Amino acid sequence: MRARHKPWADDYLKENQNVVELHPSEYKGKWKQLKTANKSIHLEIGTGKGQFIDGMAQQHPDIHFIGIEVAKSIIVSAVEKVKETQRKNITLINEDAQDLSDLFENNEVEKIYLNFSDPWPKNKHAKRRLTYHTFLEQYQRILKPNGELILKTDNKGLFEYSLVSFSQFGGILEDVSLDLHLLDDPFNVMTEYEEKFSAKGQPIYRSRIRFPRE
């Protein structure tokens, strides 16, 4: 469902620069200077309304969580959530993740989360999938050596495609779950979509991979 346009979103983001970084490229290579200084950087691509990143920030107050969301009409909800919970270790970015090298230096990020990304089911749109090899190349560059990518989705087609893409790229699969909630992982933080789909009995798929370094 497409989010309703919010004409006030631009002003709202400007009013909340303690949560939203309006000029993220200026912090390329310097993210550790912001907020939780000298702490690990974890990145969520497609942060949606912010439930996951807020929950993770609560679990790990010593980690700086950065969330990228391209839709202004959606990221404002994440800003509202962070303001409500007053997390001090979250930064939100209203940008497209097409070129992460504009935002992050090589080896700057420790973990990347892809949660319920758009599956782009048509073959002609494969290049838009966040697990297409051109995105994997970017992740490998900005991740620290031995850094980790965690994918969660309810879409079996995207999950199967991603496992093949990871393998062809040379990624090292650390974990594959075909029904995450059967594991009863006490540290799993659910997104809004995850709660919705799991309540309907749909399996949630998760994989963790690491990238080889030359």
Side-chain angles (χ1 to χ4, degrees):
M1 182 181 295
R2 190 178 297 275
R4 182 178 300 176
H5 176 63
K6 297 180 175 67
W8 46 267
D10 280 315
D11 290 337
Y12 186 76
L13 296 183
K14 290 176 183 176
E15 292 167 2
N16 289 282
Q17 294 186 50
N18 59 321
V19 177
V20 183
E21 178 50 55
L22 298 181
H23 306 287
S25 60
E26 294 179 3
Y27 279 93
K28 177 180 176 179
K30 304 174 184 176
W31 286 106
K32 284 191 174 183
Q33 298 178 14
L34 190 66
K35 296 188 178 178
T36 48
N38 297 317
K39 300 298 183 181
S40 298
I41 305 297
H42 288 200
L43 172 65
E44 183 186 18
I45 301 175
T47 205
K49 295 181 179 179
Q51 180 168 301
F52 175 82
I53 200 170
D54 185 76
M56 291 296 288
Q58 181 182 24
Q59 277 191 13
H60 307 280
D62 57 335
I63 292 173
H64 184 183
F65 288 90
I66 300 176
I68 296 180
E69 175 56 56
V70 68
K72 283 189 176 70
S73 57
I74 295 176
I75 199 173
V76 292
S77 296
V79 175
E80 289 172 349
K81 179 174 287 294
V82 175
K83 287 180 64 179
E84 178 184 349
T85 59
Q86 299 184 8
R87 308 288 180 221
K88 303 301 183 184
N89 56 327
I90 295 176
T91 300
L92 300 177
I93 301 174
N94 179 218
E95 293 280 348
D96 195 314
Q98 285 293 324
D99 196 347
L100 294 172
S101 62
D102 288 342
L103 305 175
F104 300 96
E105 191 56 81
N106 293 353
N107 308 320
E108 191 170 14
V109 177
E110 187 167 308
K111 239 173 227 192
I112 295 175
Y113 304 93
L114 303 179
N115 292 317
F116 299 86
S117 308
D118 192 328
W120 294 105
K122 295 183 179 179
N123 289 335
K124 66 180 181 179
H125 293 150
K127 292 182 179 180
R128 301 182 185 182
R129 297 170 190 158
L130 291 181
T131 52
Y132 189 68
H133 72 86
T134 54
F135 284 104
L136 299 184
E137 290 166 2
Q138 293 190 59
Y139 306 153
Q140 185 182 47
R141 284 197 299 271
I142 69 172
L143 280 169
K144 290 179 175 295
N146 211 36
E148 187 177 45
L149 170 68
I150 302 173
L151 167 72
K152 285 202 294 187
T153 181
D154 67 302
N155 189 286
K156 185 178 180 181
L158 176 62
F159 191 68
E160 292 174 343
Y161 168 86
S162 299
L163 293 181
V164 172
S165 184
F166 296 155
S167 177
Q168 291 177 341
F169 189 76
I172 301 169
L173 279 170
E174 298 284 343
D175 172 71
V176 175
S177 174
L178 301 181
D179 198 338
L180 173 60
H181 292 172
L182 288 180
L183 299 178
D184 197 24
D185 182 349
F187 300 107
N188 179 54
V189 175
M190 289 199 287
T191 73
E192 295 89 351
Y193 280 118
E194 188 171 353
E195 286 186 344
K196 175 183 175 182
F197 295 137
S198 62
K200 294 180 179 179
Q202 294 179 232
I204 303 300
Y205 307 100
R206 183 179 71 183
S207 65
R208 301 172 181 266
I209 73 161
R210 298 188 187 276
F211 294 100
R213 303 300 290 267
E214 296 179 357

